[in-house]
Amino acid sequence: MAYETILTETHGRVRLLRLHRPDALNALSVQLITDLNAALDEAEAAQDIACIVLTGSDKAFAAGADVKEMQGKSYLDAYLGDFVASWERITQMRKPVVAAVAGFALGGGCELAMMCDFILAADTARFGQPEIKLGIMPGAGGSQRLTRLVGKSKAMEMCLTGRMMDAAEAERAGLVSRVIPAAELVAEAIRVAQLIAGMSLPAVMMTKECVNQAYETSLSEGIRFERRLFYATFATPDQKEGMQAFIEKRPPAFGNR
Ligand code: CAA
């Protein structure tokens, strides 16, 4: 399906979603979020898709919520409309979503990247929560997810001053998993996503659930959660195939069951 503000490509079992509002540095308008959510629904439902890559342009992953669209809102417009709630669709994805970030990932753009399962950053990437400079504060999880990822001191400094982090600092701080030369970013993200898409889909989905559980629960409950799903993998044909293939020194042929 074609969208106004999202470009889509399919590479084998990987769906690439590209934020596309070139005149506004991919600012997250209502239209863009509506399109993104529809594209995510489509990828989640597609039997032949196993992993999603979310990217932007060379200049911007996304420069935040659309300031021009938000500027005139009253408190009641914001509160009753609860417009940020619809941004969270991406956090409910069961298939993995890899963010490939080049250029600016600011405000809601940084928050959207942090909602993905992990972030691959181009060496041009710049992350920040500059809402404070607009007289507001992060509203799509920035104060919470950034703090969990980089710790209180750096998160507090970034949220209170609006300072941007470059890619090297973001990698050192644990915000991104790796830094990649900008020209290779999307190809490398697709390669990594294809690697994931070649694994057993139920094992991938259970693994994603477990890692995310680490943010929601105590260590002992998280370990119990992991163990229950670990034992559950032994009910899948893919566990038999994966181990048989190892023993026979051949690549596994997973049926995603
Ligand atoms: N909303 C709407 N339009 C935006 C935008 C945004 N967040 N960011 C950039 N644009 C628009 C600019 O207005 C400009 O449009 P015009 O050509 O029509 O003037 C166009 O995109 C290009 O931007 P610039 O000319 O500013 O480009 P630059 O290279 O000089 O600067 C920048 C780049 C530093 C990212 C700068 O655009 C900027 O500071 N953008 C705003 C960043 C920001 O404050 N984001 C947080 C938004 S609030 C939020 O996200 C709330 C939340 O948590 C839910």
Side-chain angles (χ1 to χ4, degrees):
M1 192 177 148
Y3 303 98
E4 194 178 315
T5 58
I6 303 284
L7 304 177
T8 70
E9 291 170 26
T10 301
H11 298 261
R13 287 167 56 76
V14 172
R15 177 69 47 83
L16 176 72
L17 304 181
R18 193 185 281 278
L19 308 178
H20 185 63
R21 286 190 72 206
D23 295 341
L25 300 182
N26 295 331
L28 304 169
S29 60
V30 170
Q31 181 67 52
L32 186 145
I33 295 293
T34 304
D35 287 348
L36 175 61
N37 289 349
L40 290 169
D41 284 344
E42 199 188 345
E44 184 86 306
Q47 295 273 336
D48 51 350
I49 296 298
C51 192
I52 294 102
V53 174
L54 180 64
T55 195
S57 67
D58 292 347
K59 186 159 185 208
F61 177 75
D66 191 315
V67 177
K68 293 167 190 166
E69 207 175 67
M70 272 188 312
Q71 195 252 348
K73 279 191 195 299
S74 67
Y75 162 71
L76 281 178
D77 292 336
Y79 181 76
L80 294 177
D82 199 14
F83 67 103
V84 177
S86 62
W87 297 25
E88 300 210 322
R89 168 68 186 97
I90 200 161
T91 64
Q92 292 142 12
M93 290 289 286
R94 299 185 76 205
K95 293 174 182 169
V97 184
V98 180
V101 174
F104 296 112
L106 301 178
C110 185
E111 292 169 315
L112 187 66
M114 290 190 290
M115 289 183 209
C116 297
D117 292 311
F118 60 93
I119 303 175
L120 295 173
D123 48 15
T124 57
R126 301 185 74 189
F127 298 88
Q129 297 292 157
E131 291 89 343
I132 194 82
K133 296 199 260 181
L134 298 171
I136 57 167
M137 55 175 281
S143 66
Q144 306 302 298
R145 290 197 177 90
L146 188 64
T147 307
R148 281 167 166 79
L149 285 164
V150 307
K152 176 183 165 185
S153 197
K154 216 176 255 295
M156 192 70 93
E157 186 207 343
M158 288 179 67
C159 290
L160 290 181
T161 66
R163 179 176 79 79
M164 290 187 218
M165 236 193 240
D166 65 17
E169 184 180 0
E171 186 181 25
R172 274 200 311 278
L175 175 58
V176 309
S177 67
R178 272 190 298 132
V179 180
I180 294 155
E184 293 158 32
L185 176 72
V186 173
E188 176 62 8
I190 292 170
R191 193 194 65 78
V192 172
Q194 279 173 335
L195 194 65
I196 296 167
M199 308 294 177
S200 163
L201 183 60
V204 163
M205 288 166 63
M206 287 184 203
T207 303
K208 168 171 170 160
E209 256 193 275
C210 275
V211 174
N212 282 333
Q213 195 67 12
Y215 281 98
E216 304 288 348
T217 192
S218 67
L219 179 61
S220 57
E221 188 45 49
I223 299 244
R224 265 195 294 278
F225 185 90
E226 180 192 78
R227 200 147 307 162
R228 283 192 288 267
L229 284 184
F230 170 67
Y231 292 144
T233 61
F234 285 79
T236 65
D238 281 346
Q239 173 267 327
K240 299 289 175 290
E241 167 60 14
M243 293 192 179
Q244 191 65 32
F246 172 80
I247 291 163
E248 292 172 5
K249 301 187 188 299
R250 60 169 172 83
F254 291 126
N256 298 310
R257 303 182 47 245

